[in-house]
Amino acid sequence: MSTVYDVTDWSVSGTSETVHTDIGLYINSILDDIRANQSTQSDNPGAVIYIPPGDYILRTRVLIDLSYITIKGSGHGFFSSSIRYNAGDTSGWAEIWPGSSRILVDNTDGQAEAFLVYRSQAPRISSVQFRDFCLDGVSFGSDENSYTNGKVGLRFQSDTDACLIEGMGFVYLEDGIIAHNVDAMRVHNNFITECGGCLHMTGSGQATLVTANLMGAGYNKHTIFAEGHKGLLVEGNNIFPRGADSVYFLDCDQSAITGNRLHAFYPGMVVLEGSGRGNLVTANHFLREDEPFDPLKPYDNGRDDLFGLIHVAGEEHFIQGNYLRFDASPVATPTPTLILVRSGSGHTVSSNHVSCSTAGFNAVLLDASVNNVRVLLTGHSGNFTSYAPGSEYAFLGLPPLGTHRDL
Amino acid sequence: MSTVYDVTDWSVSGTSETVHTDIGLYINSILDDIRANQSTQSDNPGAVIYIPPGDYILRTRVLIDLSYITIKGSGHGFFSSSIRYNAGDTSGWAEIWPGSSRILVDNTDGQAEAFLVYRSQAPRISSVQFRDFCLDGVSFGSDENSYTNGKVGLRFQSDTDACLIEGMGFVYLEDGIIAHNVDAMRVHNNFITECGGCLHMTGSGQATLVTANLMGAGYNKHTIFAEGHKGLLVEGNNIFPRGADSVYFLDCDQSAITGNRLHAFYPGMVVLEGSGRGNLVTANHFLREDEPFDPLKPYDNGRDDLFGLIHVAGEEHFIQGNYLRFDASPVATPTPTLILVRSGSGHTVSSNHVSCSTAGFNAVLLDASVNNVRVLLTGHSGNFTSYAPGSEYAFLGLPPLGTHRDL
Amino acid sequence: MSTVYDVTDWSVSGTSETVHTDIGLYINSILDDIRANQSTQSDNPGAVIYIPPGDYILRTRVLIDLSYITIKGSGHGFFSSSIRYNAGDTSGWAEIWPGSSRILVDNTDGQAEAFLVYRSQAPRISSVQFRDFCLDGVSFGSDENSYTNGKVGLRFQSDTDACLIEGMGFVYLEDGIIAHNVDAMRVHNNFITECGGCLHMTGSGQATLVTANLMGAGYNKHTIFAEGHKGLLVEGNNIFPRGADSVYFLDCDQSAITGNRLHAFYPGMVVLEGSGRGNLVTANHFLREDEPFDPLKPYDNGRDDLFGLIHVAGEEHFIQGNYLRFDASPVATPTPTLILVRSGSGHTVSSNHVSCSTAGFNAVLLDASVNNVRVLLTGHSGNFTSYAPGSEYAFLGLPPLGTHRDL
């Protein structure tokens, strides 16, 4: 019994659907075959299901309740549907859709997801892999700039361990990936853009790695959202606009955002929210600009520029060695804030380079309730503001020009 | 003559073994075929040997003495055997073993390794690749928490250049990878956990890249060990407990440990030992906690908490911009040390955030013999200790709360 | 109609060439087949073209004018032709050439490139992928250390979006990759060495990601060159000698060079040239040594050691938290410069560790025209030099030994 399947070689009896009219039906049938062949707890190495380049409509959700299943194509197949839908006449274009191993997510089964990873039986599912194919939501409906169509590319619903998402493309889905209670997941080298939300990790999780991705969400959801995570590392990603924010941590502990390039059109790029403790934000490049694309200028994320490019709540976060550049028309204030320390204690903000196109700005602003905070070499006293009592923080600003000494 | 082999399509005459009862025998036979077909020095492009998902026992060590050989499966197949062996009744579980393209390492040939890369003939072997399969040591014997069974997944014994280990899973081996005298190796995006040691690079080496891996060793060996390396870059890895340490450099020069997330249950996480010079440790997140898992609470790595989360010997190392959090019951001292500069000269420790759950601690401790050391903005004078003469170091501590000035 | 091609299964009528004597002819013929099968704008998912391990001469340039084409082999196949050509008698060697899926670039069609990605029709080409094969220029002619043969591995000539170069090997080409006007390209996990230039990104581009590569160019070209790029992230690469420089940015904005290990034999390793603004250089390890290899000792890059390991022009760059080690015989000066801020305003140089083998050196040197520059904790006043007026910069040097205080 082979453990290598090609969806285009598979046949399903009793249906008039082909693999191109409902690939979900075909993959579920292949999974039935795997279950039948691997029926004992000690003999179930899983299988690889290959999707050659082609257009495949998915009408039936795929349910993966087995470990060690790999769904694999031959390319992420990204194409900017946003540019195309806003382009006007495309009758002369060579192509008008994403490609490669492309699944058109078009559920008619009442489900939101193209793929659901879930089972109730112990143990949690291990090492499911999605690699090198394209999940395309095709359209956001009557308003192609709405980022809403209710479609989800991948959803991990029950606890999983050691799953892998690599080399994938996600486009025009309301949510690319929703992953609940994942441990030790790797999200690596994907292209996840023009989705409402790109990667939402809900519930809790630990020791996940999000590296070397190109990502950019829509204005109404997060590009990367993590809830209740510990030991999450977000590194080396190139994060485009237009997500409501670039990275949003809710109640995350002891995690790190390092070495990313972040670009945004709205206030709020890295948000550390809730009661999280001990996160590191370092070596990132932040650029905040205005939306340059006419069709998307009407939209925003609802925040103003007092919110900060970096917004800090929680305990003992460390914001160090980042580049922050604000080059925009600030929203609802003449003096935008680059780093807002909104609440909590024990934070350190040190050695960040700040730059702003407006005449005045707050390099760092401490809100009234913070305590035991240190702000070091991040702007100078002329662009530092504190509403907290002077006894609750230490501030060492950049030296004025003309200073020449050893410390 | 094809250069693409599938182990399940190969037959070996004169044996009753199948590919599932001794995959080592089958791969060696395929390598014989490659050698026969590529017999001159100017015509040997190598080959790819594919292992479909399945369970394959390896009883005979594979000897790779050719360049350009790729051994490839369809998934890392990790499963937590540690959780399973400590779980009690698993009769209701859906699966109880690792999976995907899984090799059960069970040598009966008197050898320790599943795969040995070695030849004596010049030149050194180039560009051997191990990709996307699982090496499973299956059991640690009568004590499943011992991390000892004498099994080695991959061993590179003679000099090699430009080899690649990517997408692999290693579990329940005494040593996942032992690589001797490698140059320009890439160890990328692997899952190497629940092994005694994960990646041990012995002898010497240069310009190797260890990136985007999930790793965690046992309490008696190193997660990443490098000896005599120059220009090694360890970046963007998520390193779990329970290795004796996370990264151990012995006599390594001009190497870097950057942007990793490190988590440990014992003293000593990054250790720069021996006579190495010029290493950079930056942008990493360190978390030291107590072992939470009852079955593994009896074990430790033999060190006490004076050892430091970062332990520095050698010359001119630079420890900059890291997050260090100690949240544990300290071993053999009420005041744990976060950064111990044990010996050598010319080190700089700057702009690290330190945090400790104990009432007292040493953010940085300088031992008596060090000289020409600078400690900058890493804790304050209240948690700094030096046994070295005052003339041998400079210390600039964090400003006290209430400080407000430009420098 | 299959979308999965194997070059060794394809036949071309009307030619005596085989796939091994002109793979370019065969791939072009496959592309013709794809075009014929995917002739409407709404049905063109592309295809994958597989190159099994083997030696394939390319005499005809491949023209890719379609989106979603993947050219894929089974290994990067790097072999040090430089060592081999300089080794003397290799008659006893096991192999003398690169391998795996190896294309010998030997155009007889008057073209320089092995692969050209180009079309004039809208939209720009999306998501072409080159993966896991070797492009070998074979020889630099009568002087095997000249790095010149006019050969180019990959050229992207018209605008492209979301292309991917991963797992490739490039060797003995005058230029590995020349990419013009690329957006959102990923260059990931490749082995690009012993080429004249490795990766030259010309024209303009945005949001590209260059990660986890091993690279090293020749003395007459750049290892990584980027022109007019915005939001480029160069991270986690291990960059060898002997490029004229490691990373050269010309007129690049808001880009980042983070977490790389850089090694060079000539002055000038990271160069920020032209009118670029807002680049971040952080967490990198720089090592400058002398050329140790006799055959290449006659060569240099024409610069002297006043040029700086880091050379800064433009506006508001941030050089932070790097390790710089100079251990060489300086060229044309007894006092080499580690960081030269040559021109522009608003730069910040902070918290870099500097180390030099010469008695005197300039940790940081400010040229006469710079203004509004800050140099913080990077060397001390004894190894700082400014030709700019004192009112145009601030300098805070490392504290002398014997300093013990909180700031």
Side-chain angles (χ1 to χ4, degrees):
Chain A
M1 293 162 300
S2 175
T3 56
V4 180
Y5 297 82
D6 181 326
V7 294
T8 63
D9 291 337
W10 195 249
S11 56
V12 179
S13 59
T15 180
S16 60
E17 301 283 1
T18 72
V19 71
H20 293 285
T21 61
D22 189 8
I23 192 175
L25 185 71
Y26 278 68
I27 295 178
N28 280 330
S29 170
I30 290 170
L31 289 166
D32 288 340
D33 192 63
I34 297 167
R35 269 182 225 102
N37 290 335
Q38 302 184 14
S39 55
T40 71
Q41 68 170 186
S42 61
D43 177 24
N44 36 21
V48 53
I49 300 172
Y50 176 60
I51 305 167
D55 291 325
Y56 307 85
I57 299 168
L58 180 145
R59 297 208 160 96
T60 305
R61 180 178 74 185
V62 174
L63 172 63
I64 296 178
D65 61 358
L66 302 170
S67 291
Y68 319 127
I69 298 299
T70 296
I71 314 285
K72 183 179 167 64
S74 283
H76 66 92
F78 177 80
F79 168 92
S80 177
S81 290
S82 177
I83 292 176
R84 176 258 173 138
Y85 280 123
N86 288 294
D89 179 13
T90 58
S91 60
W93 283 26
E95 67 262 342
I96 53 171
W97 296 112
S100 197
S101 303
R102 173 189 178 220
I103 292 180
L104 296 77
V105 180
D106 192 24
N107 294 60
T108 55
D109 59 354
Q111 307 295 345
E113 311 88 8
F115 290 83
L116 177 68
V117 179
Y118 173 82
R119 81 175 168 209
S120 55
Q121 187 184 4
R124 57 185 175 173
I125 291 174
S126 290
S127 299
V128 166
Q129 301 189 129
F130 297 94
R131 301 177 71 166
D132 294 319
F133 65 97
C134 182
L135 284 162
D136 177 13
V138 182
S139 170
F140 288 132
S142 56
D143 176 359
E144 288 294 2
N145 298 322
S146 70
Y147 291 102
T148 55
N149 59 14
K151 299 179 181 183
V152 179
L154 306 178
R155 188 192 301 268
F156 297 76
Q157 187 62 34
S158 57
D159 295 3
T160 60
D161 189 24
C163 290
L164 176 68
I165 302 170
E166 183 175 2
M168 298 286 293
F170 298 82
V171 58
Y172 262 60
L173 298 157
E174 183 161 332
D175 286 287
I177 303 164
I178 299 177
H180 193 70
N181 294 357
V182 294
D183 269 14
M185 188 164 72
R186 280 172 293 160
V187 180
H188 181 63
N189 197 18
N190 299 284
F191 208 104
I192 316 178
T193 65
E194 303 184 359
C195 291
C198 290
L199 171 63
H200 286 202
M201 297 182 285
T202 61
S204 65
Q206 60 177 325
T208 276
L209 200 47
V210 178
T211 47
N213 299 284
L214 295 190
M215 291 199 213
Y219 48 83
N220 40 17
K221 293 205 174 183
H222 313 285
T223 303
I224 297 176
F225 170 85
E227 176 186 20
H229 272 249
K230 177 177 173 179
L232 169 63
L233 177 56
V234 176
E235 182 171 64
N237 301 286
N238 199 326
I239 300 187
F240 312 156
R242 316 186 156 77
D245 31 59
S246 306
V247 185
Y248 191 108
F249 279 3
L250 175 62
D251 302 333
C252 288
D253 295 323
Q254 310 295 342
S255 293
I257 301 168
T258 67
N260 301 284
R261 180 259 170 170
L262 312 170
H263 187 198
F265 296 148
Y266 315 120
M269 296 179 65
V270 165
V271 183
L272 307 180
E273 188 51 89
S275 60
R277 181 193 195 90
N279 297 321
L280 169 65
V281 179
T282 189
N284 302 288
H285 191 289
F286 293 76
L287 173 61
R288 158 92 163 86
E289 294 185 307
D290 287 327
E291 171 67 69
F293 190 45
D294 283 334
L296 286 160
K297 285 182 180 173
Y299 304 97
D300 60 49
N301 69 351
R303 295 179 187 140
D304 60 43
D305 272 306
L306 300 172
F307 190 86
L309 301 190
I310 304 179
H311 183 101
V312 179
E315 305 293 317
E316 288 214 81
H317 301 311
F318 186 30
I319 314 297
Q320 209 273 338
N322 301 285
Y323 195 111
L324 292 98
R325 168 70 179 162
F326 184 100
D327 187 10
S329 305
V331 179
T333 175
T335 53
T337 295
L338 273 58
I339 301 175
L340 172 62
V341 183
R342 196 199 72 207
S343 61
S345 69
H347 309 299
T348 301
V349 176
S350 75
S351 296
N352 301 282
H353 182 99
V354 292
S355 168
C356 196
S357 59
T358 59
F361 69 103
N362 291 304
V364 183
L365 189 146
L366 306 185
D367 224 333
S369 70
V370 307
N371 57 86
N372 190 24
V373 169
R374 282 175 178 79
V375 179
L376 312 171
L377 296 170
T378 301
H380 53 75
S381 51
N383 48 36
F384 172 74
T385 299
S386 175
Y387 297 112
S391 59
E392 289 300 342
Y393 68 90
F395 176 82
L396 288 180
L398 291 173
L401 297 176
T403 304
H404 312 134
R405 71 175 193 277
D406 289 332
L407 267 176
Chain B
M1 292 160 301
S2 175
T3 56
V4 180
Y5 297 83
D6 180 325
V7 293
T8 64
D9 291 336
W10 195 250
S11 57
V12 179
S13 59
T15 180
S16 60
E17 300 285 358
T18 71
V19 71
H20 291 285
T21 63
D22 189 8
I23 191 174
L25 185 70
Y26 278 67
I27 295 178
N28 279 331
S29 171
I30 290 171
L31 290 165
D32 287 341
D33 192 63
I34 297 167
R35 268 181 226 102
N37 291 335
Q38 301 184 14
S39 55
T40 71
Q41 67 170 187
S42 59
D43 176 23
N44 37 21
V48 53
I49 301 173
Y50 176 60
I51 305 167
D55 292 324
Y56 306 85
I57 299 168
L58 180 147
R59 297 209 159 95
T60 306
R61 181 178 72 185
V62 174
L63 172 62
I64 296 178
D65 61 357
L66 301 171
S67 291
Y68 320 126
I69 298 299
T70 295
I71 315 285
K72 184 178 167 62
S74 283
H76 67 92
F78 177 80
F79 168 93
S80 177
S81 290
S82 177
I83 292 176
R84 177 257 175 143
Y85 279 124
N86 288 293
D89 181 12
T90 58
S91 59
W93 284 25
E95 68 261 343
I96 55 172
W97 296 112
S100 197
S101 302
R102 173 188 176 221
I103 291 180
L104 296 77
V105 180
D106 191 25
N107 294 59
T108 54
D109 60 354
Q111 307 295 344
E113 311 88 6
F115 290 82
L116 178 69
V117 178
Y118 173 82
R119 80 175 169 212
S120 55
Q121 187 183 5
R124 58 185 175 171
I125 291 174
S126 290
S127 300
V128 166
Q129 301 188 128
F130 296 94
R131 302 177 70 165
D132 293 319
F133 64 97
C134 181
L135 284 162
D136 176 14
V138 182
S139 168
F140 288 132
S142 57
D143 176 359
E144 288 293 1
N145 297 321
S146 70
Y147 291 101
T148 56
N149 60 14
K151 298 178 181 182
V152 179
L154 306 178
R155 189 192 300 268
F156 297 76
Q157 187 62 34
S158 56
D159 296 1
T160 59
D161 188 24
C163 290
L164 176 68
I165 302 169
E166 183 175 1
M168 297 285 294
F170 298 82
V171 57
Y172 263 61
L173 297 157
E174 183 160 334
D175 286 286
I177 303 163
I178 299 177
H180 194 69
N181 294 358
V182 294
D183 270 15
M185 187 165 73
R186 280 171 293 161
V187 180
H188 180 63
N189 197 18
N190 299 285
F191 208 104
I192 316 178
T193 65
E194 304 184 358
C195 290
C198 290
L199 171 63
H200 286 203
M201 295 182 285
T202 61
S204 65
Q206 61 176 325
T208 275
L209 200 48
V210 179
T211 47
N213 299 285
L214 295 189
M215 291 200 212
Y219 48 83
N220 41 17
K221 292 204 175 182
H222 312 285
T223 302
I224 297 175
F225 170 85
E227 177 186 20
H229 271 249
K230 177 178 174 179
L232 169 62
L233 177 56
V234 175
E235 183 171 64
N237 301 286
N238 199 325
I239 299 187
F240 314 155
R242 315 188 156 76
D245 32 57
S246 306
V247 185
Y248 191 108
F249 279 3
L250 175 62
D251 301 334
C252 288
D253 295 324
Q254 309 295 341
S255 294
I257 301 168
T258 67
N260 301 284
R261 181 260 170 168
L262 312 170
H263 186 199
F265 296 148
Y266 315 120
M269 296 179 66
V270 164
V271 183
L272 307 180
E273 188 51 88
S275 59
R277 181 193 195 90
N279 297 320
L280 169 65
V281 179
T282 191
N284 301 289
H285 191 289
F286 293 77
L287 173 62
R288 158 92 163 86
E289 296 186 306
D290 288 326
E291 170 67 70
F293 190 45
D294 284 333
L296 286 160
K297 285 183 179 172
Y299 303 97
D300 61 48
N301 69 350
R303 295 179 186 139
D304 61 44
D305 273 304
L306 299 171
F307 190 86
L309 300 189
I310 304 179
H311 183 102
V312 178
E315 305 294 318
E316 287 214 82
H317 301 311
F318 187 30
I319 314 297
Q320 209 272 339
N322 302 285
Y323 195 111
L324 293 99
R325 167 71 179 162
F326 184 101
D327 187 11
S329 305
V331 179
T333 175
T335 52
T337 295
L338 272 58
I339 301 174
L340 173 62
V341 183
R342 197 199 69 206
S343 60
S345 69
H347 309 299
T348 301
V349 176
S350 77
S351 295
N352 302 283
H353 182 100
V354 292
S355 166
C356 195
S357 60
T358 58
F361 69 102
N362 290 303
V364 182
L365 190 146
L366 305 185
D367 222 333
S369 69
V370 306
N371 58 86
N372 191 23
V373 169
R374 282 175 177 81
V375 179
L376 311 171
L377 296 171
T378 301
H380 52 75
S381 52
N383 48 36
F384 172 74
T385 299
S386 175
Y387 298 112
S391 58
E392 289 299 342
Y393 67 92
F395 175 83
L396 288 180
L398 290 173
L401 297 177
T403 304
H404 313 133
R405 72 174 192 279
D406 289 333
L407 265 176
Chain C
M1 293 160 301
S2 176
T3 56
V4 179
Y5 297 83
D6 180 326
V7 294
T8 63
D9 290 337
W10 194 249
S11 55
V12 179
S13 60
T15 180
S16 62
E17 300 285 0
T18 71
V19 71
H20 292 284
T21 63
D22 188 7
I23 191 174
L25 185 70
Y26 279 67
I27 295 178
N28 280 330
S29 170
I30 291 170
L31 290 165
D32 287 342
D33 193 62
I34 297 167
R35 268 181 225 101
N37 292 333
Q38 303 183 15
S39 55
T40 71
Q41 70 169 185
S42 60
D43 176 24
N44 37 20
V48 52
I49 301 173
Y50 176 61
I51 304 166
D55 292 325
Y56 306 85
I57 299 168
L58 180 145
R59 296 210 160 95
T60 306
R61 180 177 73 183
V62 175
L63 172 62
I64 297 178
D65 60 358
L66 301 170
S67 292
Y68 319 127
I69 298 299
T70 295
I71 314 284
K72 184 178 166 63
S74 283
H76 67 92
F78 177 80
F79 167 93
S80 177
S81 290
S82 177
I83 292 176
R84 176 256 174 142
Y85 279 123
N86 288 294
D89 180 12
T90 57
S91 60
W93 284 25
E95 68 262 342
I96 54 172
W97 296 112
S100 197
S101 303
R102 173 189 177 220
I103 291 180
L104 295 77
V105 181
D106 192 24
N107 295 59
T108 55
D109 59 355
Q111 307 296 344
E113 312 87 8
F115 290 83
L116 177 68
V117 179
Y118 173 82
R119 81 173 168 211
S120 55
Q121 187 184 4
R124 57 185 176 174
I125 291 174
S126 290
S127 300
V128 166
Q129 301 188 128
F130 296 95
R131 303 177 69 166
D132 294 318
F133 65 97
C134 182
L135 284 162
D136 177 14
V138 182
S139 169
F140 288 130
S142 58
D143 176 0
E144 289 293 2
N145 298 320
S146 71
Y147 292 100
T148 55
N149 59 14
K151 299 178 181 182
V152 179
L154 307 178
R155 190 192 299 267
F156 298 75
Q157 188 62 34
S158 57
D159 295 3
T160 59
D161 188 24
C163 290
L164 175 68
I165 302 170
E166 183 174 2
M168 297 286 293
F170 298 82
V171 59
Y172 263 59
L173 298 157
E174 184 161 333
D175 285 287
I177 303 163
I178 298 177
H180 194 69
N181 293 358
V182 293
D183 269 15
M185 189 166 71
R186 281 171 293 160
V187 180
H188 180 63
N189 196 20
N190 299 285
F191 207 105
I192 315 178
T193 65
E194 302 182 1
C195 290
C198 291
L199 171 63
H200 286 201
M201 296 182 286
T202 61
S204 65
Q206 60 176 327
T208 275
L209 199 48
V210 178
T211 48
N213 299 285
L214 296 189
M215 291 199 212
Y219 48 83
N220 39 17
K221 293 204 174 182
H222 313 284
T223 302
I224 297 175
F225 170 85
E227 177 187 18
H229 272 248
K230 177 177 175 180
L232 169 63
L233 176 57
V234 176
E235 182 171 65
N237 302 286
N238 199 326
I239 299 187
F240 313 157
R242 311 186 159 78
D245 30 58
S246 306
V247 185
Y248 191 108
F249 279 4
L250 175 61
D251 302 334
C252 289
D253 294 324
Q254 310 296 342
S255 294
I257 301 169
T258 67
N260 301 284
R261 180 261 170 167
L262 312 170
H263 187 197
F265 296 148
Y266 314 120
M269 296 179 65
V270 165
V271 183
L272 307 179
E273 188 51 89
S275 60
R277 182 193 195 92
N279 297 321
L280 169 65
V281 179
T282 191
N284 302 289
H285 191 289
F286 293 77
L287 173 62
R288 159 92 161 86
E289 295 186 306
D290 288 326
E291 171 67 70
F293 189 46
D294 283 334
L296 286 159
K297 285 183 179 172
Y299 303 97
D300 61 49
N301 69 350
R303 296 180 186 138
D304 61 42
D305 272 304
L306 300 171
F307 189 86
L309 301 190
I310 304 179
H311 183 101
V312 178
E315 304 294 317
E316 288 214 81
H317 301 310
F318 186 30
I319 314 297
Q320 209 271 339
N322 302 286
Y323 195 111
L324 292 98
R325 168 71 180 162
F326 184 100
D327 187 11
S329 305
V331 180
T333 175
T335 51
T337 295
L338 273 59
I339 301 174
L340 173 62
V341 184
R342 197 199 69 208
S343 60
S345 69
H347 309 299
T348 301
V349 176
S350 76
S351 297
N352 302 282
H353 182 100
V354 292
S355 166
C356 195
S357 60
T358 58
F361 70 104
N362 291 304
V364 182
L365 190 146
L366 307 185
D367 224 333
S369 69
V370 308
N371 57 87
N372 190 22
V373 169
R374 282 174 178 81
V375 178
L376 311 172
L377 297 170
T378 301
H380 52 76
S381 51
N383 48 37
F384 172 74
T385 300
S386 176
Y387 297 112
S391 59
E392 289 299 342
Y393 67 91
F395 175 82
L396 288 180
L398 290 173
L401 298 175
T403 303
H404 312 133
R405 71 173 193 278
D406 290 334
L407 267 175

